[in-house]
Amino acid sequence: MKKCLSLLALLFFFAGLKAQYKVQFILKEKTAIHHDSIYITGTFNNWDSTANKNYLMKPYAENEKSITLNLQPGVIRYKFNRGSWLTVEKTYNGKDDNEVPDRVFTIDKDTTFRDSVLSWRDQFISDKEYDLSQQKQDTTKVKILISIAAGYAFNTENYNSDSASYYAQEALDMQQKIKTLKEYRLLSPSVFSNHLMYVQEIVASLFHSLGNYPKALEIRLENLELAEAQNDKSLLLTAINNLTSDYISMKDYQHVLIYGKVMDSILSKVKKDEVDFDDWRLQTNGIISNAFYKLGLPDSALYYAKKIDFSFANSIDFPFYASANNLLLANIYSAKDNNDSAFYHYRAAIPYFAKIVAFGVGLSYEGLARLFQKEGKLDSALYYARLSIGFFQNNKNTVQSWGENSNTYIADISPLLADIYKAKGQPDSAYKYLLLS
């Protein structure tokens, strides 16, 4: 009997060894600068990101590399790099919230996967600057200039407001130049308008991140006019959504509500496959709910907050929505003096925000501080208030790469700290934070 069991075990063992498939990975490098050493990493090698020669891809065709691996059946995830995570692939525009997602496939036979890489983390800017120097057609140059400007504006590692402004202005100037050239006739009006809107949105976001909200609003109102001239509801929703961020920062919540209702009206008239409906419905309800909360109408705010699809908003695949949704609910419950629910949602928001290093983590700390202050727990209030202001003081580039301005939040939180120190009988510290505000 034991021999039979041993034989069966051996059979299963060898069957397991044979249950492997040849999987060929072919990668086309679509960057301007090409490289000799490109590696594949994934679940099959415990995400080894070192220059491991066993996962070094070999030359295959023009600007292509290939490697064939013997893999066990099942689900695999993988990415490409050049020898470390500092050189991992990036999306073309490289925003912090827009990384290349893991490629996910189920292996159940011999197969071939073809992929392409558009940018590398360590050469995101330099590759595009080189590409720009090689181009002769102005329409192509505009696309590259816009991408470089976006990289400097919205990527924390490369954030530089001066460089972003420079390249954005170069793109705007070239857009105007194209109007006088034959190339312009080859572009449809909508394509030209889309280029102009995108580069103007970068400029507006820069003004917003620097605290010049009226100028950002002026540019975004121009974009709204451009969007209204096109029969593109997604473009129109984007333009309106961007407007509301300026009105929120200017504390003009009546206009936030007005434009939120306009977005709601648009969504009520579109087909669900005409726009990214679930995404826009979530954002629209969030904007309207936040406007009501800021206007001191927490019951109306809660009504719209509860219209949000919580299963979608709280999904681990959408950490920003999950965090923003919890922060919104926490603020509303705090305004309704439902402190237990407010505490719960502030604490639920923090891990999601921390995962994406969003400025909302600082706002969640602020919310907790105000709750503890309301309950007379001054030591806890002080602890979270200091965490909040510290976040905005220590992460200015990160916050600005998200298109926001740290100083605006510091100015809002400083009076809170002053009040707490005053209540604790520390007038010198209270005066210090009033001055900071």
Side-chain angles (χ1 to χ4, degrees):
M1 184 67 181
K2 287 183 179 179
K3 286 185 178 180
C4 289
L5 288 173
S6 298
L7 285 170
L8 282 171
L10 282 171
L11 285 171
F12 280 120
F13 174 74
F14 285 115
L17 287 179
K18 290 179 182 178
Q20 288 190 332
Y21 297 106
K22 289 188 178 297
V23 182
Q24 183 184 27
F25 300 90
I26 301 172
L27 177 70
K28 187 173 187 66
E29 196 175 18
K30 292 186 176 180
T31 55
I33 303 171
H34 300 138
H35 303 85
D36 293 330
S37 300
I38 298 176
Y39 301 84
I40 188 169
T41 184
T43 51
F44 46 78
N45 66 356
N46 294 318
W47 292 104
D48 180 5
S49 63
T50 63
N52 187 332
K53 65 180 182 180
N54 294 324
Y55 300 98
L56 174 64
M57 305 186 77
K58 304 294 191 296
Y60 184 72
E62 186 178 1
N63 299 331
E64 288 186 339
K65 299 284 191 298
S66 174
I67 190 171
T68 300
L69 301 175
N70 293 316
L71 299 180
Q72 299 282 351
V75 177
I76 64 164
R77 294 173 176 265
Y78 65 95
K79 283 187 177 182
F80 301 96
N81 65 71
R82 299 191 345 271
S84 77
W85 283 118
L86 295 176
T87 61
V88 73
E89 59 181 318
K90 294 275 286 186
T91 58
Y92 185 75
N93 286 327
K95 290 179 68 173
D96 286 342
D97 60 338
N98 195 21
E99 294 289 337
V100 176
D102 295 346
R103 295 174 173 82
V104 184
F105 291 98
T106 299
I107 305 299
D108 56 10
K109 61 182 178 180
D110 293 347
T111 189
T112 297
F113 296 122
R114 284 186 172 272
D115 300 297
S116 59
V117 63
L118 302 177
S119 182
W120 299 106
R121 178 180 173 184
D122 62 320
Q123 294 181 337
F124 175 77
I125 297 294
S126 60
D127 184 78
K128 289 172 178 57
E129 289 177 335
Y130 176 76
D131 192 18
L132 183 65
S133 70
Q134 303 300 304
Q135 297 297 331
K136 294 182 180 178
Q137 194 173 46
D138 285 341
T139 50
T140 304
K141 286 182 178 180
V142 168
K143 292 179 184 178
I144 299 171
L145 286 166
I146 290 172
S147 182
I148 295 173
Y152 278 123
F154 306 128
N155 184 271
T156 304
E157 292 178 358
N158 300 309
Y159 182 80
N160 186 309
S161 59
D162 291 337
S163 295
S165 298
Y166 170 79
Y167 283 103
Q169 189 59 53
E170 286 284 298
L172 282 172
D173 291 344
M174 193 159 288
Q175 285 279 96
Q176 298 305 315
K177 176 185 173 184
I178 289 172
K179 276 188 172 182
T180 66
L181 302 176
K182 292 180 181 179
E183 288 180 56
Y184 177 59
R185 298 172 199 161
L186 302 176
L187 285 176
S188 68
S190 63
V191 170
F192 183 84
S193 180
N194 289 349
H195 284 177
L196 182 58
M197 287 179 66
Y198 185 51
V199 71
Q200 286 193 163
E201 174 53 32
I202 291 173
V203 175
S205 184
L206 280 168
F207 277 120
H208 187 103
S209 71
L210 295 170
N212 191 341
Y213 305 124
K215 185 62 180 177
L217 181 63
E218 178 187 327
I219 295 170
R220 284 170 169 160
L221 284 168
E222 289 179 18
N223 271 1
L224 179 58
E225 290 183 11
L226 291 170
E228 288 172 337
Q230 299 190 52
N231 188 27
D232 187 330
K233 296 297 189 295
S234 183
L235 208 61
L236 185 57
L237 288 165
T238 300
I240 297 171
N241 180 59
N242 291 337
L243 269 182
T244 63
S245 68
D246 293 319
Y247 283 120
I248 288 171
S249 294
M250 295 166 70
K251 296 180 171 47
D252 184 349
Y253 303 117
Q254 196 63 52
H255 268 98
V256 176
L257 181 59
I258 289 169
Y259 280 109
K261 290 293 186 70
V262 171
M263 292 173 71
D264 189 51
S265 176
I266 293 170
L267 286 173
S268 69
K269 299 171 185 174
V270 300
K271 297 176 182 177
K272 286 199 173 184
D273 59 354
E274 192 176 346
V275 297
D276 192 349
F277 190 86
D278 289 336
D279 190 2
W280 280 118
R281 172 57 64 200
L282 188 153
Q283 291 194 60
T284 299
N285 284 328
I287 287 168
I288 295 173
S289 176
N290 187 52
F292 276 125
Y293 159 69
K294 294 291 188 180
L295 289 168
L297 299 167
D299 289 335
S300 297
L302 187 59
Y303 171 78
Y304 278 94
K306 286 186 173 180
K307 291 177 72 173
I308 294 172
D309 182 351
F310 290 97
S311 62
F312 178 68
N314 289 318
S315 166
I316 59 171
D317 296 324
F318 300 92
F320 181 79
Y321 289 150
S323 51
N325 180 56
N326 276 293
L327 177 59
L328 175 61
L329 283 169
N331 287 337
I332 295 169
Y333 283 125
S334 178
K336 289 174 67 65
D337 291 324
N338 186 340
N339 289 2
D340 288 343
S341 293
F343 273 121
Y344 170 81
H345 284 289
Y346 280 131
R347 286 172 174 144
I350 290 170
Y352 285 112
F353 275 129
K355 185 182 294 186
I356 53 175
V357 200
F359 59 91
V361 71
L363 297 179
S364 298
Y365 289 144
E366 179 192 0
L368 286 170
R370 293 187 187 280
L371 274 178
F372 280 119
Q373 181 192 34
K374 191 195 303 186
E375 295 191 343
K377 298 175 181 177
L378 297 182
D379 288 339
S380 295
L382 180 61
Y383 172 76
Y384 282 105
R386 288 179 66 85
L387 278 181
S388 178
I389 202 166
F391 176 86
F392 289 109
Q393 289 172 328
N394 298 328
N395 294 280
K396 288 193 173 185
N397 279 3
T398 300
V399 174
Q400 287 188 271
S401 71
W402 278 77
E404 292 295 322
N405 181 263
S406 279
N407 289 335
T408 297
Y409 295 104
I410 291 170
D412 287 342
I413 299 164
S414 296
L416 170 63
L417 274 158
D419 286 344
I420 296 170
Y421 276 118
K422 181 180 178 182
K424 286 174 67 67
Q426 296 176 249
D428 290 345
S429 295
Y431 182 64
K432 168 188 169 183
Y433 283 101
L434 282 176
L435 283 178
L436 179 62
S437 177

PDB file of all heavy atoms in Angstrom, residues 125 145-146 148-154 158-171 199 202-203 206 209:
ATOM      1  N   ILE A 125      11.456  62.578 -18.809  1.00  0.00           N
ATOM      2  CA  ILE A 125      11.633  63.902 -19.412  1.00  0.00           C
ATOM      3  C   ILE A 125      12.696  63.875 -20.506  1.00  0.00           C
ATOM      4  O   ILE A 125      12.473  64.372 -21.612  1.00  0.00           O
ATOM      5  CB  ILE A 125      12.020  64.942 -18.338  1.00  0.00           C
ATOM      6  CG1 ILE A 125      10.885  65.097 -17.310  1.00  0.00           C
ATOM      7  CG2 ILE A 125      12.341  66.282 -18.984  1.00  0.00           C
ATOM      8  CD1 ILE A 125       9.617  65.688 -17.841  1.00  0.00           C
ATOM      9  N   LEU A 145       5.589  68.680 -26.521  1.00  0.00           N
ATOM     10  CA  LEU A 145       5.683  69.801 -25.579  1.00  0.00           C
ATOM     11  C   LEU A 145       4.618  69.688 -24.484  1.00  0.00           C
ATOM     12  O   LEU A 145       4.895  69.926 -23.298  1.00  0.00           O
ATOM     13  CB  LEU A 145       5.532  71.133 -26.322  1.00  0.00           C
ATOM     14  CG  LEU A 145       6.726  71.589 -27.153  1.00  0.00           C
ATOM     15  CD1 LEU A 145       6.322  72.730 -28.093  1.00  0.00           C
ATOM     16  CD2 LEU A 145       7.871  72.043 -26.258  1.00  0.00           C
ATOM     17  N   ILE A 146       3.411  69.312 -24.880  1.00  0.00           N
ATOM     18  CA  ILE A 146       2.329  69.141 -23.914  1.00  0.00           C
ATOM     19  C   ILE A 146       2.679  68.037 -22.924  1.00  0.00           C
ATOM     20  O   ILE A 146       2.481  68.170 -21.709  1.00  0.00           O
ATOM     21  CB  ILE A 146       1.006  68.817 -24.642  1.00  0.00           C
ATOM     22  CG1 ILE A 146       0.500  70.049 -25.405  1.00  0.00           C
ATOM     23  CG2 ILE A 146      -0.059  68.339 -23.653  1.00  0.00           C
ATOM     24  CD1 ILE A 146      -0.680  69.772 -26.307  1.00  0.00           C
ATOM     25  N   ILE A 148       5.700  66.953 -22.045  1.00  0.00           N
ATOM     26  CA  ILE A 148       6.779  67.391 -21.151  1.00  0.00           C
ATOM     27  C   ILE A 148       6.215  68.324 -20.077  1.00  0.00           C
ATOM     28  O   ILE A 148       6.545  68.207 -18.888  1.00  0.00           O
ATOM     29  CB  ILE A 148       7.899  68.095 -21.941  1.00  0.00           C
ATOM     30  CG1 ILE A 148       8.573  67.108 -22.898  1.00  0.00           C
ATOM     31  CG2 ILE A 148       8.941  68.678 -20.991  1.00  0.00           C
ATOM     32  CD1 ILE A 148       9.585  67.751 -23.839  1.00  0.00           C
ATOM     33  N   ALA A 149       5.354  69.253 -20.497  1.00  0.00           N
ATOM     34  CA  ALA A 149       4.739  70.174 -19.538  1.00  0.00           C
ATOM     35  C   ALA A 149       3.945  69.402 -18.488  1.00  0.00           C
ATOM     36  O   ALA A 149       4.029  69.685 -17.293  1.00  0.00           O
ATOM     37  CB  ALA A 149       3.832  71.162 -20.271  1.00  0.00           C
ATOM     38  N   ALA A 150       3.190  68.396 -18.930  1.00  0.00           N
ATOM     39  CA  ALA A 150       2.401  67.579 -18.002  1.00  0.00           C
ATOM     40  C   ALA A 150       3.309  66.812 -17.051  1.00  0.00           C
ATOM     41  O   ALA A 150       3.001  66.658 -15.865  1.00  0.00           O
ATOM     42  CB  ALA A 150       1.518  66.609 -18.782  1.00  0.00           C
ATOM     43  N   GLY A 151       4.445  66.329 -17.557  1.00  0.00           N
ATOM     44  CA  GLY A 151       5.390  65.602 -16.714  1.00  0.00           C
ATOM     45  C   GLY A 151       5.950  66.456 -15.602  1.00  0.00           C
ATOM     46  O   GLY A 151       6.065  66.011 -14.451  1.00  0.00           O
ATOM     47  N   TYR A 152       6.285  67.695 -15.935  1.00  0.00           N
ATOM     48  CA  TYR A 152       6.798  68.616 -14.908  1.00  0.00           C
ATOM     49  C   TYR A 152       5.694  69.079 -13.956  1.00  0.00           C
ATOM     50  O   TYR A 152       5.957  69.373 -12.786  1.00  0.00           O
ATOM     51  CB  TYR A 152       7.432  69.840 -15.570  1.00  0.00           C
ATOM     52  CG  TYR A 152       8.856  69.629 -16.040  1.00  0.00           C
ATOM     53  CD1 TYR A 152       9.211  69.832 -17.369  1.00  0.00           C
ATOM     54  CD2 TYR A 152       9.853  69.244 -15.144  1.00  0.00           C
ATOM     55  CE1 TYR A 152      10.527  69.649 -17.801  1.00  0.00           C
ATOM     56  CE2 TYR A 152      11.165  69.065 -15.565  1.00  0.00           C
ATOM     57  CZ  TYR A 152      11.499  69.263 -16.896  1.00  0.00           C
ATOM     58  OH  TYR A 152      12.794  69.082 -17.308  1.00  0.00           O
ATOM     59  N   ALA A 153       4.467  69.133 -14.458  1.00  0.00           N
ATOM     60  CA  ALA A 153       3.369  69.666 -13.638  1.00  0.00           C
ATOM     61  C   ALA A 153       2.744  68.625 -12.728  1.00  0.00           C
ATOM     62  O   ALA A 153       2.358  68.939 -11.602  1.00  0.00           O
ATOM     63  CB  ALA A 153       2.292  70.266 -14.549  1.00  0.00           C
ATOM     64  N   PHE A 154       2.615  67.375 -13.205  1.00  0.00           N
ATOM     65  CA  PHE A 154       1.782  66.398 -12.507  1.00  0.00           C
ATOM     66  C   PHE A 154       2.522  65.169 -12.005  1.00  0.00           C
ATOM     67  O   PHE A 154       1.883  64.257 -11.480  1.00  0.00           O
ATOM     68  CB  PHE A 154       0.624  65.963 -13.417  1.00  0.00           C
ATOM     69  CG  PHE A 154      -0.187  67.106 -13.947  1.00  0.00           C
ATOM     70  CD1 PHE A 154      -0.440  67.238 -15.298  1.00  0.00           C
ATOM     71  CD2 PHE A 154      -0.691  68.056 -13.082  1.00  0.00           C
ATOM     72  CE1 PHE A 154      -1.190  68.302 -15.795  1.00  0.00           C
ATOM     73  CE2 PHE A 154      -1.449  69.122 -13.565  1.00  0.00           C
ATOM     74  CZ  PHE A 154      -1.695  69.247 -14.924  1.00  0.00           C
ATOM     75  N   ASN A 158       9.312  64.656 -10.938  1.00  0.00           N
ATOM     76  CA  ASN A 158       9.835  65.646 -11.886  1.00  0.00           C
ATOM     77  C   ASN A 158       9.270  67.043 -11.662  1.00  0.00           C
ATOM     78  O   ASN A 158       9.564  67.950 -12.430  1.00  0.00           O
ATOM     79  CB  ASN A 158       9.503  65.212 -13.329  1.00  0.00           C
ATOM     80  CG  ASN A 158      10.099  63.873 -13.691  1.00  0.00           C
ATOM     81  OD1 ASN A 158      11.282  63.644 -13.516  1.00  0.00           O
ATOM     82  ND2 ASN A 158       9.277  62.964 -14.187  1.00  0.00           N
ATOM     83  N   TYR A 159       8.462  67.223 -10.594  1.00  0.00           N
ATOM     84  CA  TYR A 159       7.716  68.471 -10.450  1.00  0.00           C
ATOM     85  C   TYR A 159       8.623  69.698 -10.475  1.00  0.00           C
ATOM     86  O   TYR A 159       9.596  69.808  -9.729  1.00  0.00           O
ATOM     87  CB  TYR A 159       6.905  68.490  -9.158  1.00  0.00           C
ATOM     88  CG  TYR A 159       6.090  69.764  -9.033  1.00  0.00           C
ATOM     89  CD1 TYR A 159       4.894  69.895  -9.708  1.00  0.00           C
ATOM     90  CD2 TYR A 159       6.563  70.843  -8.286  1.00  0.00           C
ATOM     91  CE1 TYR A 159       4.155  71.064  -9.636  1.00  0.00           C
ATOM     92  CE2 TYR A 159       5.829  72.024  -8.208  1.00  0.00           C
ATOM     93  CZ  TYR A 159       4.630  72.121  -8.892  1.00  0.00           C
ATOM     94  OH  TYR A 159       3.915  73.290  -8.829  1.00  0.00           O
ATOM     95  N   ASN A 160       8.281  70.616 -11.375  1.00  0.00           N
ATOM     96  CA  ASN A 160       8.994  71.889 -11.483  1.00  0.00           C
ATOM     97  C   ASN A 160       8.047  72.867 -12.162  1.00  0.00           C
ATOM     98  O   ASN A 160       7.820  72.780 -13.372  1.00  0.00           O
ATOM     99  CB  ASN A 160      10.285  71.726 -12.291  1.00  0.00           C
ATOM    100  CG  ASN A 160      11.125  72.994 -12.315  1.00  0.00           C
ATOM    101  OD1 ASN A 160      10.628  74.075 -12.628  1.00  0.00           O
ATOM    102  ND2 ASN A 160      12.407  72.872 -12.005  1.00  0.00           N
ATOM    103  N   SER A 161       7.469  73.778 -11.398  1.00  0.00           N
ATOM    104  CA  SER A 161       6.444  74.665 -11.940  1.00  0.00           C
ATOM    105  C   SER A 161       7.003  75.587 -13.021  1.00  0.00           C
ATOM    106  O   SER A 161       6.312  75.893 -14.000  1.00  0.00           O
ATOM    107  CB  SER A 161       5.813  75.495 -10.826  1.00  0.00           C
ATOM    108  OG  SER A 161       6.790  76.284 -10.157  1.00  0.00           O
ATOM    109  N   ASP A 162       8.254  76.033 -12.871  1.00  0.00           N
ATOM    110  CA  ASP A 162       8.853  76.915 -13.880  1.00  0.00           C
ATOM    111  C   ASP A 162       9.012  76.189 -15.213  1.00  0.00           C
ATOM    112  O   ASP A 162       8.684  76.729 -16.277  1.00  0.00           O
ATOM    113  CB  ASP A 162      10.212  77.434 -13.399  1.00  0.00           C
ATOM    114  CG  ASP A 162      10.091  78.413 -12.245  1.00  0.00           C
ATOM    115  OD1 ASP A 162       9.009  79.009 -12.098  1.00  0.00           O
ATOM    116  OD2 ASP A 162      11.070  78.584 -11.499  1.00  0.00           O
ATOM    117  N   SER A 163       9.527  74.957 -15.150  1.00  0.00           N
ATOM    118  CA  SER A 163       9.710  74.176 -16.384  1.00  0.00           C
ATOM    119  C   SER A 163       8.365  73.837 -17.004  1.00  0.00           C
ATOM    120  O   SER A 163       8.206  73.886 -18.236  1.00  0.00           O
ATOM    121  CB  SER A 163      10.488  72.890 -16.087  1.00  0.00           C
ATOM    122  OG  SER A 163      11.799  73.183 -15.660  1.00  0.00           O
ATOM    123  N   ALA A 164       7.386  73.482 -16.170  1.00  0.00           N
ATOM    124  CA  ALA A 164       6.052  73.176 -16.693  1.00  0.00           C
ATOM    125  C   ALA A 164       5.468  74.390 -17.408  1.00  0.00           C
ATOM    126  O   ALA A 164       4.905  74.269 -18.505  1.00  0.00           O
ATOM    127  CB  ALA A 164       5.135  72.741 -15.556  1.00  0.00           C
ATOM    128  N   SER A 165       5.600  75.566 -16.798  1.00  0.00           N
ATOM    129  CA  SER A 165       5.082  76.799 -17.410  1.00  0.00           C
ATOM    130  C   SER A 165       5.782  77.090 -18.728  1.00  0.00           C
ATOM    131  O   SER A 165       5.149  77.479 -19.714  1.00  0.00           O
ATOM    132  CB  SER A 165       5.268  77.975 -16.448  1.00  0.00           C
ATOM    133  OG  SER A 165       4.543  77.784 -15.269  1.00  0.00           O
ATOM    134  N   TYR A 166       7.109  76.882 -18.749  1.00  0.00           N
ATOM    135  CA  TYR A 166       7.897  77.160 -19.958  1.00  0.00           C
ATOM    136  C   TYR A 166       7.414  76.291 -21.123  1.00  0.00           C
ATOM    137  O   TYR A 166       7.133  76.795 -22.220  1.00  0.00           O
ATOM    138  CB  TYR A 166       9.379  76.914 -19.691  1.00  0.00           C
ATOM    139  CG  TYR A 166      10.233  76.941 -20.944  1.00  0.00           C
ATOM    140  CD1 TYR A 166      10.619  78.159 -21.510  1.00  0.00           C
ATOM    141  CD2 TYR A 166      10.624  75.763 -21.568  1.00  0.00           C
ATOM    142  CE1 TYR A 166      11.380  78.188 -22.676  1.00  0.00           C
ATOM    143  CE2 TYR A 166      11.384  75.783 -22.727  1.00  0.00           C
ATOM    144  CZ  TYR A 166      11.762  76.995 -23.280  1.00  0.00           C
ATOM    145  OH  TYR A 166      12.511  77.017 -24.438  1.00  0.00           O
ATOM    146  N   TYR A 167       7.327  74.975 -20.899  1.00  0.00           N
ATOM    147  CA  TYR A 167       6.943  74.075 -21.992  1.00  0.00           C
ATOM    148  C   TYR A 167       5.475  74.242 -22.377  1.00  0.00           C
ATOM    149  O   TYR A 167       5.117  74.099 -23.557  1.00  0.00           O
ATOM    150  CB  TYR A 167       7.238  72.624 -21.605  1.00  0.00           C
ATOM    151  CG  TYR A 167       8.704  72.280 -21.722  1.00  0.00           C
ATOM    152  CD1 TYR A 167       9.516  72.204 -20.595  1.00  0.00           C
ATOM    153  CD2 TYR A 167       9.280  72.042 -22.967  1.00  0.00           C
ATOM    154  CE1 TYR A 167      10.872  71.901 -20.702  1.00  0.00           C
ATOM    155  CE2 TYR A 167      10.627  71.742 -23.084  1.00  0.00           C
ATOM    156  CZ  TYR A 167      11.426  71.676 -21.950  1.00  0.00           C
ATOM    157  OH  TYR A 167      12.771  71.385 -22.072  1.00  0.00           O
ATOM    158  N   ALA A 168       4.624  74.553 -21.420  1.00  0.00           N
ATOM    159  CA  ALA A 168       3.219  74.805 -21.737  1.00  0.00           C
ATOM    160  C   ALA A 168       3.086  76.043 -22.617  1.00  0.00           C
ATOM    161  O   ALA A 168       2.312  76.059 -23.583  1.00  0.00           O
ATOM    162  CB  ALA A 168       2.411  74.974 -20.452  1.00  0.00           C
ATOM    163  N   GLN A 169       3.842  77.088 -22.286  1.00  0.00           N
ATOM    164  CA  GLN A 169       3.796  78.306 -23.083  1.00  0.00           C
ATOM    165  C   GLN A 169       4.357  78.059 -24.492  1.00  0.00           C
ATOM    166  O   GLN A 169       3.827  78.576 -25.482  1.00  0.00           O
ATOM    167  CB  GLN A 169       4.595  79.424 -22.400  1.00  0.00           C
ATOM    168  CG  GLN A 169       4.420  80.787 -23.052  1.00  0.00           C
ATOM    169  CD  GLN A 169       2.972  81.252 -23.085  1.00  0.00           C
ATOM    170  OE1 GLN A 169       2.312  81.272 -22.054  1.00  0.00           O
ATOM    171  NE2 GLN A 169       2.472  81.605 -24.267  1.00  0.00           N
ATOM    172  N   GLU A 170       5.415  77.237 -24.573  1.00  0.00           N
ATOM    173  CA  GLU A 170       5.962  76.864 -25.885  1.00  0.00           C
ATOM    174  C   GLU A 170       4.898  76.157 -26.725  1.00  0.00           C
ATOM    175  O   GLU A 170       4.774  76.409 -27.927  1.00  0.00           O
ATOM    176  CB  GLU A 170       7.166  75.935 -25.701  1.00  0.00           C
ATOM    177  CG  GLU A 170       8.425  76.617 -25.207  1.00  0.00           C
ATOM    178  CD  GLU A 170       9.118  77.406 -26.309  1.00  0.00           C
ATOM    179  OE1 GLU A 170       9.542  76.799 -27.316  1.00  0.00           O
ATOM    180  OE2 GLU A 170       9.223  78.643 -26.169  1.00  0.00           O
ATOM    181  N   ALA A 171       4.134  75.264 -26.083  1.00  0.00           N
ATOM    182  CA  ALA A 171       3.080  74.550 -26.799  1.00  0.00           C
ATOM    183  C   ALA A 171       1.985  75.511 -27.262  1.00  0.00           C
ATOM    184  O   ALA A 171       1.486  75.407 -28.389  1.00  0.00           O
ATOM    185  CB  ALA A 171       2.494  73.458 -25.901  1.00  0.00           C
ATOM    186  N   VAL A 199      -3.499  71.754 -23.301  1.00  0.00           N
ATOM    187  CA  VAL A 199      -2.365  72.565 -22.849  1.00  0.00           C
ATOM    188  C   VAL A 199      -2.849  73.700 -21.948  1.00  0.00           C
ATOM    189  O   VAL A 199      -2.186  74.062 -20.968  1.00  0.00           O
ATOM    190  CB  VAL A 199      -1.534  73.086 -24.041  1.00  0.00           C
ATOM    191  CG1 VAL A 199      -2.269  74.168 -24.822  1.00  0.00           C
ATOM    192  CG2 VAL A 199      -0.183  73.613 -23.566  1.00  0.00           C
ATOM    193  N   ILE A 202      -3.320  72.366 -18.488  1.00  0.00           N
ATOM    194  CA  ILE A 202      -2.046  72.257 -17.771  1.00  0.00           C
ATOM    195  C   ILE A 202      -1.675  73.609 -17.163  1.00  0.00           C
ATOM    196  O   ILE A 202      -1.287  73.706 -15.993  1.00  0.00           O
ATOM    197  CB  ILE A 202      -0.929  71.763 -18.706  1.00  0.00           C
ATOM    198  CG1 ILE A 202      -1.176  70.306 -19.102  1.00  0.00           C
ATOM    199  CG2 ILE A 202       0.445  71.898 -18.035  1.00  0.00           C
ATOM    200  CD1 ILE A 202      -0.231  69.793 -20.152  1.00  0.00           C
ATOM    201  N   VAL A 203      -1.813  74.672 -17.968  1.00  0.00           N
ATOM    202  CA  VAL A 203      -1.490  76.017 -17.487  1.00  0.00           C
ATOM    203  C   VAL A 203      -2.422  76.402 -16.336  1.00  0.00           C
ATOM    204  O   VAL A 203      -1.983  76.940 -15.313  1.00  0.00           O
ATOM    205  CB  VAL A 203      -1.590  77.046 -18.631  1.00  0.00           C
ATOM    206  CG1 VAL A 203      -1.365  78.458 -18.101  1.00  0.00           C
ATOM    207  CG2 VAL A 203      -0.572  76.735 -19.724  1.00  0.00           C
ATOM    208  N   LEU A 206      -1.474  74.646 -13.215  1.00  0.00           N
ATOM    209  CA  LEU A 206      -0.279  75.262 -12.627  1.00  0.00           C
ATOM    210  C   LEU A 206      -0.651  76.505 -11.827  1.00  0.00           C
ATOM    211  O   LEU A 206      -0.185  76.693 -10.698  1.00  0.00           O
ATOM    212  CB  LEU A 206       0.725  75.629 -13.729  1.00  0.00           C
ATOM    213  CG  LEU A 206       1.587  74.490 -14.252  1.00  0.00           C
ATOM    214  CD1 LEU A 206       2.308  74.922 -15.514  1.00  0.00           C
ATOM    215  CD2 LEU A 206       2.597  74.062 -13.191  1.00  0.00           C
ATOM    216  N   SER A 209      -2.265  75.371  -8.665  1.00  0.00           N
ATOM    217  CA  SER A 209      -1.314  74.820  -7.694  1.00  0.00           C
ATOM    218  C   SER A 209      -0.465  75.909  -7.047  1.00  0.00           C
ATOM    219  O   SER A 209       0.068  75.721  -5.952  1.00  0.00           O
ATOM    220  CB  SER A 209      -0.402  73.792  -8.370  1.00  0.00           C
ATOM    221  OG  SER A 209       0.525  74.400  -9.248  1.00  0.00           O
TER     222      SER A 209
END
